[in-house]
């Protein structure tokens, strides 16, 4: 069984993943901000669930926008558990609105969470994984980086940036025995706090200039629900189950990408074409070995 860190585990996909991995028998560190304050209830819920079901569910304070917080959380895990095998990069936030109305500071703040947050956590955990020459990085990405829906501009940009960092990081850490999987959820309108807690543009005067589009924005959730086939239970627990499945696979067999999408957006087909082009290009560069995780003799 593995020792696993999950960021953004207070609610939604992160919380569901903590429960799924705990059920599978892993030692799970569910990370969230301010476990003694705003998230005290969420932290206690996980601890109580672990006790009730005989699972090793633990919580750790981690703010992905703080390098010192990420380093402190990883030190805590290593001090308690002795090792860290898997990191699930899940922490994220949603912006909804018109691109022009988001200030550069708004967009920078979102990138600080959705893009740079995973990088900070990687910088905290990779020295340990590099020393052991093993480990798995799992990124909760988004199909929006392929389908580019309207009215989510800064979010799409931040998730696309995070995806690119994950890919290039994978080339490098793979040569040190560290695996990467990018899990790409499609849209969900239930089971997460994404839409209810979404932020909006701070430049309200610029937003007002697009008022004629407001009815489209207002029916965004309804339009998303209309993408799901009748009778399908489009719930994010499916993402948690897929992450647990990937973690449970033997070393060397984990997929580089996997899609959990009930909207039938064709993302798997796009991924296949893109991966083929990437592999051919990197091979032509003479760096084909970077496409495979290097196994080391222990």
């Amino acid at each position: 069984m593995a020792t696993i860190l999950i960021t953004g585990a207070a609610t939604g996909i992160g919380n569901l993943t903590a429960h799924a991995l705990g059920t599978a028998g892993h030692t799970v560190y569910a990370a969230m901000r301010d476990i003694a304050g705003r998230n005290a209830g969420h932290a206690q819920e996980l601890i109580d669930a672990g006790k009730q079901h005989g699972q090793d569910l633990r919580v750790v304070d981690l703010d992905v926008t703080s390098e010192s917080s990420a380093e402190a959380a990883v030190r805590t895990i290593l001090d308690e558990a002795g090792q860290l095998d898997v990191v699930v990069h899940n922490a994220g936030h949603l912006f909804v609105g018109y691109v022009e109305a988001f200030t550069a500071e708004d967009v920078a703040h979102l990138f600080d969470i959705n893009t740079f947050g995973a990088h900070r956590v990687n910088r905290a955990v990779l020295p340990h994984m590099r020393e052991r020459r093993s480990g798995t990085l799992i990124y909760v990405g988004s199909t929006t980086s392929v389908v580019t829906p309207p009215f989510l501009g800064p979010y799409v940009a931040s998730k696309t940036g995070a995806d690119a960092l994950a890919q290039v990081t994978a080339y490098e850490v793979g040569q040190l025995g560290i695996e990467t999987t990018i899990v790409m959820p499609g849209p969900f309108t239930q089971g997460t706090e994404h839409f209810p807690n979404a932020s909006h543009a701070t430049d309200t005067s610029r937003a007002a200039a697009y008022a004629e589009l407001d009815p489209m924005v207002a029916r965004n959730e309804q339009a998303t629900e209309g993408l799901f086939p009748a009778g399908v239970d489009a719930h994010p627990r499916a993402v948690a189950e897929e992450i647990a499945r990937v973690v449970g696979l033997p070393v060397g067999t984990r997929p580089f990408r996997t899609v959990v999408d009930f909207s039938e957006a064709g993302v798997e087909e796009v991924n296949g074409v893109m991966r083929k082009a990437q592999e051919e290009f990197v091979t032509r560069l003479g760096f084909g070995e970077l496409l495979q995780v290097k196994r080391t003799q222990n």
Side-chain angles (χ1 to χ4, degrees):
M1 292 292 105
T3 299
I4 303 171
L5 167 64
I6 307 170
T7 66
T11 61
I13 289 173
N15 187 271
L16 292 166
T17 301
H19 287 289
L21 290 170
T23 298
H26 302 288
T27 296
V28 178
Y29 281 85
M32 60 194 78
R33 293 181 295 170
D34 194 13
I35 60 176
R38 58 176 289 183
N39 279 319
H42 295 303
Q44 193 61 50
E45 177 267 330
L46 280 164
I47 292 170
D48 291 345
K51 291 178 179 177
Q52 180 181 354
H53 300 293
Q55 301 168 4
D56 195 355
L57 291 180
R58 313 180 189 188
V59 296
V60 63
D61 206 304
L62 199 167
D63 178 356
V64 298
T65 67
S66 166
E67 183 174 344
S68 61
S69 177
E71 291 176 344
V74 171
R75 281 197 303 270
T76 295
I77 295 168
L78 295 179
D79 287 345
E80 291 183 3
Q83 66 185 51
L84 181 52
D85 305 296
V86 180
V87 175
V88 180
H89 293 295
N90 168 75
H93 189 58
L94 179 66
F95 274 11
V96 177
Y98 309 113
V99 174
E100 183 188 344
F102 290 100
T103 66
E105 291 75 20
D106 290 338
V107 177
H109 176 62
L110 190 63
F111 268 74
D112 207 26
I113 300 168
N114 291 357
T115 310
F116 307 144
H119 185 60
R120 289 189 185 94
V121 174
N122 275 347
R123 281 176 51 82
V125 73
L126 281 174
H128 170 69
M129 290 185 173
R130 284 191 285 102
E131 182 179 8
R132 296 178 60 214
R133 299 187 79 86
S134 69
T136 303
L137 304 176
I138 297 178
Y139 299 84
V140 178
S142 173
T143 59
T144 63
S145 61
V146 173
V147 297
T148 319
F151 313 126
L152 304 176
Y155 177 79
V156 173
S158 68
K159 297 300 283 189
T160 303
D163 191 289
L165 273 179
Q167 290 184 68
V168 180
T169 300
Y171 293 147
E172 299 159 1
V173 301
Q175 299 308 290
L176 303 174
I178 300 165
E179 293 186 283
T180 293
T181 294
I182 301 172
V183 180
M184 300 178 71
F188 293 98
T189 57
Q190 60 169 320
T192 78
E193 300 298 319
H194 242 20
F195 276 106
N197 288 345
S199 294
H200 302 276
T202 60
D203 191 336
T204 54
S205 63
R206 296 291 180 102
Y210 292 86
E212 63 194 87
L213 301 181
D214 285 353
M216 291 186 184
V217 178
R219 64 181 177 86
N220 196 15
E221 284 190 68
Q222 180 183 359
T224 300
E225 290 176 352
L227 297 174
F228 305 141
V232 168
D233 182 17
H235 193 282
R237 74 173 67 88
V239 182
E241 291 167 355
E242 176 63 2
I243 292 171
R245 184 190 73 84
V246 169
V247 170
L249 292 173
V251 171
T253 67
R254 297 183 178 105
F256 184 70
R257 287 188 187 274
T258 181
V259 177
V260 183
D261 179 23
F262 296 100
S263 72
E264 301 181 337
V267 173
E268 294 93 338
E269 290 80 1
V270 175
N271 286 345
V273 173
M274 180 176 68
R275 186 64 177 175
K276 183 175 183 292
Q278 291 170 333
E279 289 176 348
E280 291 177 353
F281 181 74
V282 171
T283 300
R284 287 173 56 217
L285 283 173
F287 300 140
E289 66 267 29
L290 298 180
L291 298 167
Q292 302 296 326
V293 177
K294 183 179 291 185
R295 298 295 156 214
T296 58
Q297 297 292 331
N298 293 325

